[in-house]
Structure formats: C-alpha cells, structure tokens
Amino acid sequence: MVAQEERINDVYVVRELSATEASDIVKVGSWPDDFKQYETLLRLGQEAGHCARFIDPRCNTLVRTVSDLVAHRPAIEDREIAELLNVAPDDAAWLRQAVHEGT
C-alpha cells in the first residue's frame, strides 16, 4: 500500500499488506486505516527525516493544510501544527486564525 504526501515534505510511504488485508480489499473493499489521515502522513515523513521549511510560513499552501488538519481534528493544538508543518508557534497560531477567518 502506498501513500504520497506532496504538499509539505513530498514523501512516499509504503507498507506491505498482509494476505488478510489484501483479501479484504479485493473481496469487500475494506482498506486498512493507516493512511486515512493526512496528519499521519506528515508524521511519518518527519519520522523518516523529512522536514521541509517554507520561505513564507503564512502561505496559502500552509493555510489549506491547516484547514484540513483542523477539519479532521478540531482540537489540534497550535504547537502540534507548528511541529507538523515545521513553522514557528506564532505562525501556527496565525495559520489557524486565517483558517477560522476564511482567509
């Protein structure tokens, strides 16, 4: 199973499926949950040593990414956003506010 995270770190994540998982996909369309959350892909990229840094930490790409993170997990903290996106805490707070204001 392969997932690609291309907004921030541009990484591919690969996981070998078990025979049971492969059978579940083919027979009932049931996929493992491993890569269903974008946040997971960001964390896996970081754990593999990838940590891109944007020249403009308040750019639209990061605003859209924070929007997706907050939509999936509304209680995500600014410090977590800062860690996931490799930005300063004040930039993470700004990005969240921009999402809240619809900017």
Side-chain angles (χ1 to χ4, degrees):
M1 183 167 62
V2 178
Q4 179 181 6
E5 187 282 297
E6 59 187 10
R7 281 193 220 168
I8 308 301
N9 297 308
D10 200 21
V11 296
Y12 290 89
V13 182
V14 180
R15 183 173 81 70
E16 185 175 354
L17 296 170
S18 71
T20 301
E21 290 170 323
S23 177
D24 287 347
I25 292 169
V26 172
K27 290 180 180 175
V28 294
S30 176
W31 287 80
D33 290 337
D34 298 61
F35 304 149
K36 285 189 176 180
Q37 295 179 17
Y38 187 68
E39 180 178 344
T40 301
L41 297 178
L42 290 172
R43 289 192 191 286
L44 289 171
Q46 285 181 336
E47 290 169 9
H50 297 275
C51 59
R53 185 175 295 266
F54 280 65
I55 292 171
D56 178 3
R58 297 180 179 193
C59 68
N60 285 334
T61 297
L62 294 177
V63 171
R64 287 191 312 271
T65 301
V66 170
S67 178
D68 290 345
L69 292 171
V70 170
H72 185 75
R73 191 160 64 99
I76 189 170
E77 296 179 13
D78 289 348
R79 71 167 178 76
E80 292 177 280
I81 292 170
E83 291 170 5
L84 287 169
L85 302 182
N86 199 25
V87 299
D90 62 322
D91 290 322
W94 185 93
L95 290 163
R96 179 191 290 280
Q97 187 62 34
V99 167
H100 178 70
E101 293 173 356
T103 328

XYZ file of all heavy atoms in Angstrom:
815
model
N 0.865 -1.149 0.000
C 0.000 0.000 0.000
C 0.918 1.220 0.000
O 1.896 1.274 0.736
C -0.882 -0.045 1.253
C -1.878 1.072 1.328
S -3.159 0.833 2.597
C -2.225 0.779 4.097
N 0.595 2.194 -0.845
C 1.428 3.383 -0.988
C 0.582 4.633 -0.780
O -0.539 4.720 -1.265
C 2.067 3.441 -2.396
C 2.903 4.693 -2.562
C 2.902 2.203 -2.665
N 1.154 5.593 -0.058
C 0.526 6.904 0.104
C 1.568 7.951 -0.246
O 2.767 7.737 -0.062
C 0.051 7.099 1.537
N 1.101 9.073 -0.766
C 2.010 10.170 -1.095
C 1.559 11.421 -0.357
O 0.387 11.780 -0.391
C 2.020 10.443 -2.583
C 2.940 11.590 -2.954
C 2.949 11.895 -4.433
O 2.186 11.322 -5.200
N 3.798 12.800 -4.843
N 2.521 12.068 0.292
C 2.281 13.361 0.930
C 3.096 14.361 0.135
O 4.314 14.351 0.183
C 2.725 13.311 2.405
C 2.353 14.550 3.185
C 3.278 15.716 2.927
O 4.471 15.613 3.236
O 2.801 16.733 2.378
N 2.422 15.187 -0.651
C 3.142 16.044 -1.583
C 3.041 17.540 -1.300
O 3.651 18.330 -1.989
C 2.682 15.762 -3.007
C 1.209 15.992 -3.211
C 0.726 15.558 -4.577
O 1.461 14.907 -5.312
O -0.420 15.899 -4.889
N 2.294 17.929 -0.308
C 2.172 19.358 -0.015
C 3.353 19.906 0.767
O 3.765 21.036 0.563
C 0.923 19.629 0.817
C -0.332 19.665 0.042
C -1.408 20.250 0.927
N -2.643 19.530 0.737
C -3.686 19.645 1.503
N -3.648 20.415 2.564
N -4.774 18.975 1.248
N 3.848 19.139 1.720
C 4.847 19.666 2.647
C 6.204 19.007 2.426
O 7.167 19.655 2.038
C 4.394 19.472 4.117
C 2.980 20.027 4.343
C 5.406 20.109 5.074
C 2.803 21.501 4.041
N 6.318 17.719 2.672
C 7.614 17.041 2.632
C 7.882 16.253 1.349
O 8.981 15.792 1.134
C 7.752 16.099 3.834
C 7.729 16.865 5.133
O 8.465 17.815 5.310
N 6.862 16.467 6.038
N 6.857 16.067 0.522
C 6.972 15.339 -0.736
C 7.585 13.954 -0.525
O 8.688 13.660 -1.002
C 7.777 16.142 -1.750
C 7.519 15.663 -3.177
O 6.481 15.020 -3.410
O 8.362 15.929 -4.050
N 6.876 13.119 0.215
C 7.357 11.773 0.508
C 6.329 10.722 0.077
O 5.137 10.999 -0.034
C 7.655 11.574 2.018
C 8.779 12.469 2.477
C 6.430 11.786 2.867
N 6.843 9.541 -0.192
C 6.016 8.371 -0.429
C 6.160 7.462 0.784
O 7.262 7.275 1.290
C 6.477 7.604 -1.677
C 6.205 8.325 -2.958
C 7.132 9.219 -3.483
C 5.019 8.121 -3.656
C 6.883 9.899 -4.664
C 4.766 8.794 -4.840
C 5.700 9.675 -5.338
O 5.453 10.340 -6.499
N 5.052 6.898 1.227
C 5.055 5.992 2.360
C 4.528 4.651 1.854
O 3.481 4.590 1.213
C 4.165 6.523 3.509
C 4.211 5.587 4.696
C 4.588 7.934 3.901
N 5.274 3.593 2.138
C 4.923 2.261 1.655
C 4.767 1.319 2.840
O 5.579 1.336 3.764
C 6.030 1.716 0.717
C 5.677 0.328 0.211
C 6.270 2.669 -0.445
N 3.705 0.526 2.808
C 3.505 -0.506 3.821
C 3.037 -1.775 3.139
O 2.126 -1.758 2.325
C 2.468 -0.076 4.867
C 2.333 -1.155 5.961
C 1.466 -0.750 7.107
N 0.044 -0.886 6.910
C -0.627 -2.043 6.831
N -0.008 -3.194 6.849
N -1.940 -2.030 6.722
N 3.694 -2.866 3.479
C 3.306 -4.158 2.919
C 2.016 -4.635 3.589
O 1.868 -4.550 4.812
C 4.418 -5.181 3.153
C 4.153 -6.508 2.491
C 5.310 -7.471 2.618
O 6.385 -7.078 3.122
O 5.139 -8.637 2.227
N 1.099 -5.110 2.770
C -0.167 -5.624 3.286
C -0.047 -7.100 3.633
O 0.676 -7.847 2.967
C -1.267 -5.467 2.233
C -1.639 -4.045 1.828
C -2.558 -4.059 0.619
C -2.296 -3.330 2.987
N -0.781 -7.517 4.633
C -0.864 -8.949 4.944
C -1.806 -9.599 3.928
O -2.569 -8.909 3.233
C -1.403 -9.154 6.358
O -2.777 -8.813 6.414
N -1.772 -10.893 3.865
C -2.667 -11.615 2.947
C -4.130 -11.329 3.294
O -4.970 -11.153 2.399
C -2.377 -13.113 3.013
N -4.444 -11.248 4.576
C -5.815 -10.968 5.011
C -6.245 -9.563 4.583
O -7.364 -9.379 4.091
C -5.942 -11.110 6.543
O -5.567 -12.435 6.909
C -7.352 -10.824 7.016
N -5.358 -8.580 4.767
C -5.681 -7.203 4.370
C -5.907 -7.117 2.868
O -6.864 -6.470 2.406
C -4.564 -6.252 4.785
C -4.465 -6.033 6.271
C -3.217 -5.283 6.676
O -2.142 -5.502 6.076
O -3.327 -4.453 7.606
N -5.056 -7.770 2.103
C -5.203 -7.758 0.640
C -6.519 -8.412 0.233
O -7.236 -7.907 -0.643
C -4.016 -8.461 -0.019
N -6.856 -9.500 0.888
C -8.109 -10.189 0.597
C -9.309 -9.307 0.934
O -10.278 -9.243 0.175
C -8.172 -11.497 1.393
O -9.401 -12.140 1.184
N -9.241 -8.598 2.069
C -10.336 -7.701 2.457
C -10.533 -6.578 1.446
O -11.665 -6.174 1.171
C -10.075 -7.102 3.841
C -10.265 -8.108 4.970
O -10.831 -9.196 4.726
O -9.831 -7.795 6.099
N -9.450 -6.087 0.890
C -9.549 -5.035 -0.122
C -10.260 -5.568 -1.358
O -11.204 -4.954 -1.870
C -8.150 -4.492 -0.496
C -7.556 -3.730 0.683
C -8.231 -3.603 -1.744
C -6.078 -3.393 0.506
N -9.832 -6.720 -1.818
C -10.384 -7.296 -3.047
C -11.828 -7.760 -2.859
O -12.690 -7.476 -3.689
C -9.497 -8.471 -3.537
C -10.143 -9.198 -4.693
C -8.114 -7.968 -3.909
N -12.103 -8.413 -1.750
C -13.418 -9.021 -1.561
C -14.493 -8.039 -1.101
O -15.627 -8.120 -1.552
C -13.329 -10.175 -0.565
C -12.576 -11.372 -1.114
C -12.517 -12.485 -0.106
C -11.756 -13.670 -0.679
N -11.572 -14.739 0.301
N -14.147 -7.131 -0.172
C -15.181 -6.256 0.380
C -14.838 -4.771 0.296
O -15.567 -3.929 0.809
C -15.524 -6.627 1.847
C -16.169 -7.994 1.928
C -14.308 -6.562 2.730
N -13.699 -4.431 -0.315
C -13.328 -3.026 -0.450
C -12.945 -2.375 0.865
O -13.066 -1.161 1.011
N -12.497 -3.164 1.821
C -12.133 -2.646 3.135
C -10.619 -2.414 3.204
O -9.843 -3.365 3.215
C -12.562 -3.642 4.219
O -12.129 -3.203 5.487
N -10.232 -1.129 3.236
C -8.818 -0.764 3.273
C -8.364 -0.534 4.712
O -9.128 -0.043 5.535
C -8.598 0.529 2.482
C -8.703 0.329 1.009
C -9.848 0.240 0.283
C -7.628 0.162 0.096
N -9.554 0.053 -1.042
C -8.189 -0.001 -1.185
C -6.239 0.154 0.231
C -7.412 -0.184 -2.321
C -5.470 -0.023 -0.904
C -6.056 -0.191 -2.160
N -7.088 -0.833 5.016
C -6.548 -0.510 6.346
C -6.595 1.005 6.586
O -6.550 1.799 5.645
C -5.094 -0.992 6.279
C -5.064 -1.961 5.150
C -6.111 -1.517 4.175
N -6.662 1.401 7.837
C -6.792 2.817 8.199
C -5.467 3.578 8.233
O -5.466 4.785 8.492
C -7.453 2.947 9.578
C -8.918 2.554 9.552
O -9.532 2.600 8.474
O -9.439 2.199 10.627
N -4.365 2.928 7.992
C -3.034 3.514 8.182
C -2.847 4.910 7.588
O -2.229 5.764 8.208
C -1.950 2.606 7.588
C -1.903 1.270 8.264
O -2.926 0.549 8.216
O -0.855 0.925 8.840
N -3.321 5.136 6.387
C -3.031 6.381 5.685
C -4.262 7.251 5.479
O -4.279 8.137 4.635
C -2.392 6.086 4.323
C -1.139 5.246 4.388
C -0.816 4.397 3.353
C -0.273 5.306 5.467
C 0.336 3.631 3.386
C 0.880 4.538 5.523
C 1.186 3.704 4.480
N -5.307 7.035 6.237
C -6.546 7.793 6.036
C -6.465 9.224 6.532
O -7.237 10.069 6.108
C -7.726 7.079 6.685
C -8.168 5.869 5.899
C -9.450 5.304 6.430
C -9.901 4.151 5.551
N -11.139 3.565 6.008
N -5.549 9.509 7.451
C -5.431 10.865 7.986
C -4.171 11.522 7.423
O -3.078 10.961 7.490
C -5.333 10.838 9.510
C -6.568 10.333 10.183
C -6.397 10.306 11.694
O -5.508 10.944 12.239
N -7.245 9.566 12.357
N -4.332 12.718 6.890
C -3.195 13.458 6.345
C -2.141 13.710 7.419
O -0.941 13.646 7.161
C -3.691 14.787 5.744
C -2.618 15.538 5.023
C -2.085 15.045 3.844
C -2.123 16.729 5.520
C -1.082 15.722 3.182
C -1.133 17.415 4.870
C -0.614 16.907 3.696
O 0.380 17.578 3.053
N -2.585 13.949 8.623
C -1.675 14.175 9.744
C -0.706 13.000 9.908
O 0.482 13.186 10.194
C -2.482 14.378 11.024
C -1.655 14.613 12.256
C -2.503 14.854 13.501
O -3.706 15.142 13.387
O -1.937 14.750 14.592
N -1.208 11.789 9.716
C -0.362 10.597 9.828
C 0.760 10.635 8.808
O 1.914 10.320 9.121
C -1.209 9.321 9.637
O -2.240 9.295 10.622
C -0.358 8.068 9.733
N 0.453 11.033 7.592
C 1.481 11.103 6.552
C 2.535 12.148 6.889
O 3.731 11.936 6.662
C 0.846 11.402 5.194
C -0.112 10.336 4.672
C -0.720 10.774 3.351
C 0.590 9.002 4.537
N 2.108 13.275 7.441
C 3.077 14.297 7.859
C 4.004 13.746 8.944
O 5.225 13.934 8.888
C 2.353 15.541 8.371
C 1.626 16.375 7.319
C 0.787 17.460 7.987
C 2.612 16.980 6.348
N 3.425 13.056 9.904
C 4.238 12.493 10.998
C 5.203 11.428 10.475
O 6.371 11.389 10.874
C 3.351 11.905 12.089
C 2.638 12.956 12.887
C 1.991 12.397 14.148
N 1.114 13.353 14.754
C 1.499 14.418 15.435
N 2.775 14.673 15.586
N 0.610 15.250 15.960
N 4.730 10.557 9.601
C 5.597 9.516 9.055
C 6.751 10.125 8.254
O 7.889 9.647 8.326
C 4.794 8.551 8.179
C 3.838 7.628 8.930
C 2.933 6.877 7.956
C 4.599 6.659 9.816
N 6.472 11.186 7.508
C 7.533 11.872 6.772
C 8.580 12.437 7.707
O 9.790 12.294 7.478
N 8.137 13.059 8.778
C 9.066 13.617 9.764
C 9.895 12.521 10.420
O 11.099 12.667 10.603
C 8.320 14.404 10.829
C 7.832 15.737 10.358
C 7.119 16.497 11.458
O 6.606 15.919 12.403
N 7.090 17.813 11.320
N 9.239 11.429 10.778
C 9.948 10.325 11.423
C 11.019 9.737 10.507
O 12.013 9.193 10.977
C 8.964 9.244 11.861
C 8.093 9.669 13.023
C 6.940 8.719 13.297
O 6.893 7.621 12.690
O 6.077 9.080 14.116
N 10.804 9.874 9.197
C 11.790 9.388 8.228
C 12.878 10.434 7.950
O 13.760 10.206 7.129
C 11.090 8.992 6.931
N 12.785 11.591 8.624
C 13.828 12.606 8.488
C 13.529 13.719 7.506
O 14.395 14.529 7.215
N 12.305 13.799 7.017
C 11.933 14.862 6.089
C 11.294 16.013 6.854
O 10.371 15.800 7.634
C 10.944 14.350 5.037
C 11.518 13.283 4.185
N 12.264 13.556 3.071
C 11.486 11.940 4.305
C 12.654 12.416 2.535
N 12.197 11.429 3.261
N 11.772 17.217 6.619
C 11.155 18.379 7.269
C 11.415 19.623 6.416
O 12.359 20.362 6.634
C 11.634 18.557 8.700
S 13.393 18.788 8.869
N 10.569 19.790 5.424
C 10.676 20.958 4.552
C 10.327 22.217 5.328
O 9.585 22.183 6.305
C 9.736 20.801 3.366
N 10.884 23.318 4.888
C 10.578 24.608 5.504
C 10.190 25.567 4.376
O 10.923 25.726 3.415
C 11.776 25.140 6.270
C 11.467 26.425 7.030
C 12.654 26.860 7.874
N 12.947 25.907 8.928
C 12.474 26.001 10.169
N 11.676 26.984 10.504
N 12.805 25.114 11.077
N 9.042 26.195 4.522
C 8.564 27.146 3.522
C 9.215 28.509 3.763
O 9.368 28.933 4.912
C 7.044 27.286 3.606
C 6.291 26.175 2.932
C 6.376 24.872 3.398
C 5.509 26.434 1.825
C 5.692 23.853 2.786
C 4.815 25.415 1.188
C 4.908 24.115 1.677
N 9.557 29.190 2.683
C 10.109 30.536 2.797
C 9.081 31.457 3.440
O 9.408 32.251 4.310
C 10.548 31.077 1.418
C 11.742 30.281 0.922
C 10.869 32.560 1.488
C 12.134 30.567 -0.505
N 7.828 31.312 3.001
C 6.732 32.092 3.581
C 5.891 31.164 4.459
O 5.074 30.400 3.946
C 5.864 32.697 2.475
C 4.677 33.480 3.010
O 4.547 33.613 4.258
O 3.877 33.955 2.185
N 6.079 31.186 5.771
C 5.346 30.270 6.647
C 3.870 30.611 6.801
O 3.157 29.949 7.553
C 6.083 30.396 7.984
C 6.655 31.767 7.961
C 6.992 32.048 6.516
N 3.410 31.636 6.079
C 1.996 32.008 6.137
C 1.362 31.954 4.738
O 0.394 32.656 4.464
C 1.852 33.398 6.757
C 2.348 33.406 8.198
C 2.230 34.743 8.857
N 2.706 34.670 10.245
C 2.515 35.592 11.152
N 1.846 36.687 10.841
N 2.973 35.441 12.374
N 1.898 31.079 3.896
C 1.421 30.972 2.514
C 0.113 30.182 2.435
O -0.280 29.493 3.379
C 2.484 30.331 1.634
S 2.794 28.595 2.018
N -0.546 30.283 1.292
C -1.836 29.623 1.098
C -1.750 28.106 1.221
O -2.698 27.474 1.691
C -2.439 30.010 -0.255
C -2.990 31.412 -0.246
O -3.371 31.931 0.797
N -3.030 32.043 -1.400
N -0.638 27.517 0.789
C -0.489 26.059 0.911
C -0.582 25.634 2.368
O -1.256 24.651 2.702
C 0.862 25.597 0.321
O 0.881 25.903 -1.075
C 1.083 24.108 0.522
N 0.070 26.374 3.244
C 0.019 26.026 4.666
C -1.344 26.338 5.277
O -1.823 25.594 6.135
C 1.149 26.731 5.428
C 2.563 26.260 5.042
C 3.617 27.064 5.782
C 2.733 24.778 5.296
N -1.987 27.401 4.822
C -3.340 27.703 5.305
C -4.280 26.549 4.930
O -5.052 26.069 5.771
C -3.866 29.043 4.737
C -5.342 29.240 5.072
C -3.038 30.212 5.258
N -4.207 26.081 3.684
C -5.066 24.965 3.248
C -4.753 23.689 4.034
O -5.657 22.924 4.382
C -4.913 24.718 1.749
C -5.577 25.783 0.889
C -5.648 25.381 -0.582
N -4.395 24.869 -1.114
C -3.440 25.606 -1.672
N -3.588 26.901 -1.771
N -2.351 25.043 -2.153
N -3.476 23.472 4.315
C -3.096 22.286 5.065
C -3.631 22.356 6.490
O -4.171 21.371 7.009
C -1.564 22.115 5.066
O -1.118 22.017 3.704
C -1.149 20.863 5.819
N -3.521 23.508 7.123
C -4.069 23.676 8.474
C -5.590 23.510 8.437
O -6.169 22.907 9.342
C -3.650 25.020 9.091
C -4.409 25.300 10.383
C -2.146 25.035 9.340
N -6.220 23.998 7.406
C -7.665 23.825 7.268
C -8.025 22.339 7.270
O -8.970 21.924 7.950
C -8.146 24.489 5.977
O -9.524 24.283 5.805
N -7.269 21.542 6.538
C -7.517 20.097 6.500
C -7.249 19.449 7.860
O -8.008 18.588 8.303
C -6.656 19.429 5.432
C -7.096 19.785 4.027
O -8.216 20.301 3.848
O -6.300 19.543 3.095
N -6.168 19.862 8.508
C -5.836 19.293 9.818
C -6.923 19.614 10.841
O -7.360 18.741 11.595
C -4.485 19.826 10.310
C -3.249 19.376 9.525
C -2.024 20.155 9.982
C -3.030 17.874 9.660
N -7.382 20.870 10.851
C -8.405 21.301 11.801
C -9.755 20.657 11.481
O -10.504 20.295 12.389
C -8.512 22.843 11.821
C -9.725 23.322 12.597
C -7.231 23.447 12.394
N -10.053 20.479 10.205
C -11.314 19.839 9.830
C -11.366 18.405 10.342
O -12.415 17.934 10.786
C -11.488 19.860 8.313
N -10.231 17.730 10.306
C -10.206 16.342 10.767
C -10.111 16.238 12.289
O -10.676 15.342 12.896
C -9.041 15.583 10.131
C -9.062 14.142 10.492
N -9.941 13.246 9.937
C -8.352 13.449 11.393
C -9.766 12.071 10.475
N -8.797 12.158 11.369
N -9.362 17.181 12.883
C -9.177 17.150 14.343
C -9.262 18.575 14.878
O -8.253 19.258 15.046
C -7.832 16.513 14.681
C -7.685 16.215 16.155
C -6.630 15.176 16.456
N -5.289 15.530 16.113
C -4.378 16.000 16.972
N -4.703 16.188 18.244
N -3.168 16.275 16.573
N -10.479 19.055 15.142
C -10.683 20.443 15.565
C -9.877 20.858 16.798
O -9.513 22.019 16.941
C -12.190 20.521 15.843
C -12.782 19.439 15.011
C -11.747 18.342 14.991
N -9.578 19.928 17.682
C -8.872 20.267 18.912
C -7.346 20.222 18.767
O -6.636 20.360 19.759
C -9.300 19.332 20.039
N -6.851 20.060 17.552
C -5.399 20.024 17.373
C -4.807 21.329 17.898
O -5.355 22.409 17.670
C -5.003 19.780 15.897
C -3.496 19.520 15.782
C -5.469 20.900 14.991
C -3.064 19.033 14.408
N -3.725 21.225 18.647
C -3.134 22.399 19.270
C -2.168 23.097 18.314
O -1.595 22.477 17.422
C -2.388 21.982 20.542
C -3.310 21.403 21.597
C -2.563 20.967 22.841
O -1.381 21.331 23.005
O -3.176 20.267 23.655
N -1.993 24.395 18.545
C -1.077 25.176 17.709
C 0.336 24.599 17.740
O 1.025 24.570 16.721
C -1.041 26.642 18.148
C -2.323 27.383 17.812
O -3.151 26.852 17.039
O -2.503 28.499 18.337
N 0.769 24.108 18.889
C 2.125 23.554 18.974
C 2.259 22.309 18.093
O 3.291 22.069 17.504
C 2.529 23.260 20.413
C 1.833 22.100 21.030
C 2.436 21.603 22.339
N 1.615 20.513 22.815
C 1.632 19.288 22.319
N 2.442 18.979 21.347
N 0.819 18.359 22.795
N 1.176 21.513 17.984
C 1.193 20.342 17.104
C 1.256 20.766 15.644
O 1.974 20.162 14.846
C -0.041 19.476 17.331
C -0.077 18.789 18.678
C -1.359 18.003 18.849
O -2.400 18.622 19.168
O -1.321 16.773 18.652
N 0.491 21.796 15.315
C 0.531 22.329 13.944
C 1.932 22.823 13.631
O 2.482 22.536 12.557
C -0.512 23.451 13.771
C -1.932 22.876 13.857
C -0.298 24.200 12.466
C -3.030 23.912 13.944
N 2.535 23.535 14.570
C 3.896 24.041 14.380
C 4.869 22.890 14.127
O 5.712 22.963 13.216
C 4.333 24.861 15.592
N 4.751 21.823 14.902
C 5.634 20.666 14.737
C 5.403 19.978 13.400
O 6.353 19.632 12.698
C 5.411 19.667 15.870
C 5.889 20.151 17.220
C 5.422 19.243 18.356
O 4.811 18.181 18.096
O 5.656 19.623 19.519
N 4.142 19.760 13.037
C 3.815 19.058 11.795
C 4.285 19.818 10.560
O 4.707 19.212 9.577
C 2.311 18.820 11.704
C 1.735 17.754 12.616
C 0.214 17.818 12.603
C 2.219 16.377 12.186
N 4.176 21.150 10.613
C 4.473 21.955 9.427
C 5.838 22.627 9.482
O 6.198 23.370 8.564
C 3.373 23.003 9.232
C 1.961 22.431 9.073
C 0.969 23.543 8.836
C 1.915 21.411 7.952
N 6.575 22.391 10.572
C 7.915 22.954 10.721
C 7.876 24.480 10.631
O 8.642 25.093 9.880
C 8.860 22.348 9.672
C 10.308 22.507 10.039
O 10.655 22.625 11.205
N 11.165 22.524 9.038
N 6.946 25.060 11.396
C 6.830 26.521 11.460
C 6.919 26.957 12.919
O 6.767 26.143 13.836
C 5.501 27.040 10.842
C 5.405 26.673 9.365
C 4.285 26.526 11.604
N 7.136 28.228 13.131
C 7.188 28.778 14.490
C 5.786 28.745 15.106
O 4.782 28.819 14.384
C 7.700 30.216 14.450
N 5.707 28.653 16.425
C 4.395 28.629 17.087
C 3.515 29.828 16.745
O 2.301 29.670 16.573
C 4.744 28.612 18.574
C 6.094 27.956 18.619
C 6.806 28.441 17.379
N 4.104 31.030 16.620
C 3.266 32.193 16.282
C 2.728 32.089 14.857
O 1.621 32.536 14.569
C 4.003 33.520 16.523
C 5.247 33.663 15.671
O 5.958 32.662 15.454
O 5.526 34.794 15.229
N 3.490 31.460 13.950
C 2.990 31.246 12.589
C 1.867 30.206 12.593
O 0.885 30.351 11.859
C 4.114 30.803 11.650
C 5.096 31.918 11.363
O 4.654 33.083 11.224
O 6.312 31.639 11.295
N 1.994 29.175 13.421
C 0.933 28.174 13.537
C -0.357 28.816 14.034
O -1.441 28.545 13.508
C 1.365 27.044 14.465
N -0.240 29.702 15.018
C -1.425 30.404 15.534
C -2.027 31.289 14.450
O -3.255 31.353 14.294
C -1.048 31.234 16.758
N -1.173 31.962 13.678
C -1.652 32.809 12.584
C -2.378 31.962 11.537
O -3.438 32.357 11.038
C -0.485 33.564 11.942
C -0.935 34.537 10.897
C -1.203 35.845 11.073
C -1.185 34.245 9.516
N -1.619 36.404 9.884
C -1.617 35.441 8.907
C -1.103 33.100 8.737
C -1.943 35.516 7.549
C -1.447 33.162 7.389
C -1.866 34.369 6.821
N -1.815 30.799 11.194
C -2.426 29.925 10.196
C -3.807 29.447 10.655
O -4.768 29.460 9.886
C -1.527 28.722 9.916
C -0.225 29.035 9.163
C 0.766 27.882 9.299
C -0.498 29.358 7.713
N -3.909 29.067 11.930
C -5.207 28.653 12.457
C -6.211 29.793 12.384
O -7.361 29.631 12.010
C -5.091 28.156 13.898
C -6.460 27.745 14.472
C -6.421 27.506 15.957
N -5.694 26.315 16.314
C -6.214 25.076 16.249
N -7.444 24.894 15.806
N -5.511 24.043 16.615
N -5.779 30.996 12.749
C -6.666 32.163 12.704
C -7.102 32.446 11.265
O -8.261 32.774 11.025
C -5.964 33.387 13.315
C -6.879 34.584 13.444
C -8.066 34.339 14.362
O -7.967 33.621 15.357
N -9.198 34.912 14.038
N -6.176 32.301 10.325
C -6.520 32.508 8.910
C -7.571 31.507 8.453
O -8.489 31.860 7.707
C -5.260 32.401 8.044
N -7.475 30.284 8.919
C -8.499 29.273 8.603
C -9.819 29.672 9.220
O -10.860 29.642 8.561
C -8.050 27.873 9.109
C -9.210 26.892 9.069
C -6.860 27.377 8.315
N -9.785 30.089 10.465
C -11.010 30.494 11.175
C -11.698 31.678 10.483
O -12.922 31.724 10.384
C -10.668 30.844 12.630
C -11.839 31.319 13.418
N -12.874 30.495 13.793
C -12.140 32.552 13.890
C -13.771 31.198 14.462
N -13.350 32.433 14.547
N -10.880 32.612 9.977
C -11.429 33.792 9.322
C -11.793 33.529 7.858
O -12.351 34.407 7.202
C -10.425 34.942 9.400
C -10.211 35.437 10.816
C -9.106 36.465 10.933
O -8.424 36.760 9.909
O -8.895 36.967 12.035
N -11.437 32.349 7.361
C -11.755 32.012 5.975
C -10.850 32.694 4.968
O -11.230 32.885 3.823
N -9.644 33.039 5.391
C -8.699 33.716 4.501
C -8.009 32.745 3.615
O -7.670 31.674 3.953
C -7.628 34.481 5.328
O -8.175 34.945 6.529
C -7.081 35.614 4.531
